[in-house]
Amino acid sequence: MEKNTTEVTMEKIVSLCKRRGFVFASSEIYGGMAGIYDYGHYGYLFKENIKTAWMNQMLYERDDIVALDSAIFMTPKAWVASGHVGGFNDPMIDCKKCNSRFRADHILEEAGIEADKATIEFINKELQKLKDAKKLVCANCKSVDLSEAKVFSLMVKSNLGSVTDEVTDDNVTYLRPETCGGIYLNYKNTMDSMHMSLPFGIVQIGKAFRNEIAARQFIFRTREFEQMEMQYFHTPGSTLPLYESWKKFRYNWYIEYGIKPESIRWYKHDKLAHYASEAYDIEYNYGSMGGFKEVEGFHTRGDWDLSQHAKYSGQKLEYFDENTKEKYTPHILETSVGLARLFLMFIDSAYTEDKTNPEETRVYLAFHPKLAPVKLAVLPLLKNKEVLTNAAKDLFIRLRKEFHSVEYDESGSIGKRYRKQDEIGTPFCVTVDFESVEGDTAGSYTIRDRDTGEQTRVTEEELVAKLRAALQ
Ligand code: GAP
């Protein structure tokens, strides 16, 4: 069945994710929490596979990259130095009637007014003009009683280690809003301990927290999320060719894991941070969100981060170049991607409805086998025939040793078990039937392909070879 005949909607994806144990609303039994999600068994396995695929490309297959796992809490001074305290804000307005909250800059942009980097005074002046023209109403309840715009910090605050319960200016600490902060602070430790010379990179995967006003679109924009970031330290003047090669390198990763070239594109940012010379995003055409949205960001950062941290910490963060005998502050380029955006992208891209049977639409996730949460399901044809269940359990135990994520399932009809494996994206199901245990065919099994539904008879050796080839 051709993938492009399927209409992918967010409703279908959210429903499948809950039904099959990928994603749950956090604190669901209490009514949930906006912008926070929990990952169930298959969601956890799927996330781990995406992380491994990223780490394979970014760390294990390169000689110039090392890893880091830095703490979520960092000194608040670091977030002052980076410009996040005071600068990592969104302007927002409240509806006084229904208490809904909206991004004021988004409202202005929808009205055709450039507001991306506008001051709060400019935003309020323009909002007043819209109010006077009776063009400003609450998108939720249509009330015209809206507050002025206020600056709202995206930083999530804590009073870690404080002797009082309150968060004050003296005791405030922050949950990191991006993982790269820990990389900058450990640049020297990493370089010295790992004997790295320029150019080299540091990768990190970890949680980040942002008090997003408009947390929405399922796991696309959340308040707690995982980032996978790489900071590449290099000689000033060498940025552009390195940047181009990183862009190509990462683009190829998407293609390697089954994303079609027509489903992704580059978006070039015209408005750049003052220290940046280039900024691009990879955007994916999310069927579930009706268009292209940012998945991964590529930024040149110059020497801004290391210079700021050197200034605020009083430490020297320069590099001594053995070749030129010069000292300078390395420049940085970064790639940064949200794990949940990849998670949603891979499900969005893999979601397929096979309508060849007019009686029942078969839904399956056509994941790349390396990303599939379960690689193989071993299914005895009948539950109440010990000769079949024993043979299936033995096969399962043998295969699990090599392929780890293998499932044994004897519950319900064989058709129902296939449907479940299709919906979690298992590339192969193996059925143990009477031919597997009797006569000349003993030791052979039927293997079913997730995407075509075709079944073929194979020996255990052939089955193992097929799995190894798919996972190569
Ligand atoms: N260090 C650079 C940085 O953090 P960013 O554009 O703010 O840049 C990078 O974020 C990536 O992190 C985004 O492209 C997106 O994939 C992910 N991301 C950012 N905010 C997110 C959120 N609230 N929920 C989920 N993912 C998010």
Side-chain angles (χ1 to χ4, degrees):
M1 178 64 27
E2 275 299 304
K3 161 84 183 101
N4 59 15
T5 59
T6 301
E7 191 207 349
V8 185
T9 65
M10 190 59 98
E11 220 180 341
K12 289 179 188 173
I13 287 184
V14 172
S15 159
L16 184 145
C17 281
K18 173 154 188 204
R19 186 167 73 245
R20 293 301 181 189
F22 280 87
V23 184
F24 310 121
S26 173
S27 316
E28 196 186 77
I29 60 169
Y30 286 95
M33 270 183 92
I36 314 276
Y37 289 90
D38 297 336
Y39 289 81
H41 179 72
Y42 295 123
Y44 166 79
L45 295 176
F46 185 44
K47 264 199 318 171
E48 289 303 299
N49 294 343
I50 300 173
K51 287 190 209 176
T52 303
W54 188 81
M55 276 294 189
N56 281 343
Q57 191 206 32
M58 301 292 282
L59 177 69
Y60 297 115
E61 289 165 19
R62 293 192 66 113
D63 301 325
D64 54 346
I65 309 275
V66 288
L68 177 74
D69 183 10
S70 69
I72 285 169
F73 286 111
M74 291 167 38
T75 172
K77 288 180 201 155
W79 299 117
V80 176
S82 67
H84 283 83
V85 174
F88 197 44
N89 302 316
D90 280 337
M92 53 109 192
I93 62 170
D94 289 330
C95 171
K96 292 184 187 167
K97 191 168 166 216
C98 73
N99 296 325
S100 295
R101 182 166 275 185
F102 305 99
R103 286 271 296 266
D105 51 338
H106 288 177
I107 293 176
L108 291 188
E109 267 152 26
E110 273 158 31
I113 303 158
E114 190 74 43
D116 195 17
K117 292 206 165 47
T119 61
I120 195 74
E121 290 77 21
F122 173 86
I123 287 174
N124 273 321
K125 212 169 87 198
E126 293 301 315
L127 285 174
Q128 191 56 49
K129 284 188 204 160
L130 289 180
K131 270 188 191 171
D132 294 345
K134 306 216 177 326
K135 287 186 182 161
L136 190 63
V137 292
C138 169
N140 183 41
C141 72
K142 308 290 173 231
S143 164
V144 290
D145 198 6
L146 296 158
S147 73
E148 280 210 321
K150 279 183 285 188
V151 166
F152 185 82
S153 171
L154 298 183
M155 299 294 280
V156 178
K157 292 176 184 168
S158 162
N159 63 348
L160 182 81
S162 166
V163 287
T164 82
D165 285 342
E166 284 166 40
V167 179
T168 66
D169 285 348
D170 296 329
N171 70 18
V172 66
T173 35
Y174 301 96
L175 277 73
R176 64 181 175 199
E178 53 183 15
T179 55
C180 57
I183 298 183
Y184 306 137
L185 269 56
N186 284 290
Y187 144 77
K188 213 165 178 329
N189 282 337
T190 304
M191 188 170 63
D192 293 347
S193 60
M194 300 302 293
H195 309 291
M196 304 304 282
S197 48
L198 295 187
F200 75 93
I202 303 178
V203 284
Q204 160 148 256
I205 298 180
K207 291 259 175 153
F209 302 83
R210 295 182 189 181
N211 217 347
E212 299 280 3
I213 299 169
R216 58 175 176 228
Q217 287 156 324
F218 192 36
I219 54 172
F220 182 81
R221 186 181 304 285
T222 52
R223 295 185 171 134
E224 174 179 339
F225 57 99
E226 275 168 279
Q227 271 188 326
M228 314 206 288
E229 297 201 292
M230 188 282 309
Q231 307 294 310
Y232 203 66
F233 300 85
H234 57 276
T235 316
S238 64
T239 305
L240 284 181
L242 288 171
Y243 186 69
E244 284 313 314
S245 81
W246 272 105
K247 276 172 59 195
K248 274 199 203 109
F249 187 65
R250 286 296 302 145
Y251 180 91
N252 291 342
W253 184 85
Y254 288 77
I255 306 301
E256 185 186 338
Y257 287 95
I259 300 301
K260 295 201 179 74
E262 61 270 25
S263 300
I264 48 175
R265 70 177 185 197
W266 288 106
Y267 171 78
K268 183 180 183 351
H269 286 265
D270 295 326
K271 289 181 219 135
L272 299 175
H274 63 88
Y275 49 79
S277 55
E278 294 279 355
Y280 277 84
D281 295 334
I282 283 187
E283 294 187 332
Y284 169 74
N285 192 4
Y286 288 90
S288 54
M289 287 192 284
F292 282 93
K293 304 265 181 221
E294 172 186 344
V295 183
E296 174 160 355
F298 296 74
H299 316 116
T300 61
R301 307 187 59 98
D303 65 358
W304 160 258
D305 304 282
L306 291 183
S307 299
Q308 283 294 104
H309 290 303
K311 187 168 140 195
Y312 279 74
S313 68
Q315 302 291 315
K316 287 201 163 50
L317 296 178
E318 286 168 327
Y319 176 81
F320 178 69
D321 195 317
E322 294 286 353
N323 298 323
T324 62
K325 308 291 176 213
E326 280 176 310
K327 264 189 186 169
Y328 50 82
T329 304
H331 281 205
I332 294 175
L333 65 86
E334 78 172 344
T335 72
S336 174
V337 62
L339 180 54
R341 292 206 183 170
L342 292 176
F343 187 108
L344 190 56
M345 174 190 79
F346 283 122
I347 292 186
D348 188 291
S349 153
Y351 185 93
T352 313
E353 290 172 353
D354 175 353
K355 297 191 167 109
T356 41
N357 175 1
E359 306 283 301
E360 187 198 12
T361 299
R362 182 175 77 94
V363 172
Y364 64 93
L365 295 180
F367 289 142
H368 187 293
K370 281 189 188 166
L371 300 180
V374 176
K375 310 302 178 200
L376 175 79
V378 181
L379 317 171
L381 185 64
L382 299 169
K383 182 185 176 175
N384 54 5
K385 292 282 175 216
E386 261 193 18
V387 65
L388 300 183
T389 53
N390 286 344
K393 278 180 197 157
D394 287 347
L395 178 67
F396 160 67
I397 287 164
R398 288 197 298 277
L399 293 172
R400 183 165 71 171
K401 283 203 178 95
E402 178 170 347
F403 299 105
H404 306 293
S405 195
V406 178
E407 269 192 5
Y408 170 83
D409 187 4
E410 59 177 33
S411 63
S413 72
I414 192 80
K416 234 174 150 186
R417 284 179 272 160
Y418 285 152
R419 294 295 163 268
K420 175 194 163 183
Q421 296 300 333
D422 284 345
E423 289 202 351
I424 62 171
T426 306
F428 305 108
C429 288
V430 152
T431 309
V432 178
D433 54 17
F434 290 104
E435 285 181 52
S436 309
V437 291
E438 289 168 358
D440 292 349
T441 51
S444 71
Y445 311 96
T446 53
I447 183 165
R448 174 182 173 276
D449 182 278
R450 172 197 64 203
D451 301 350
T452 61
E454 269 171 23
Q455 305 201 14
T456 41
R457 203 143 195 108
V458 287
T459 62
E460 187 170 337
E461 210 176 304
E462 286 164 339
L463 167 62
V464 167
K466 206 173 171 72
L467 271 169
R468 281 188 191 147
L471 295 170
Q472 236 175 25

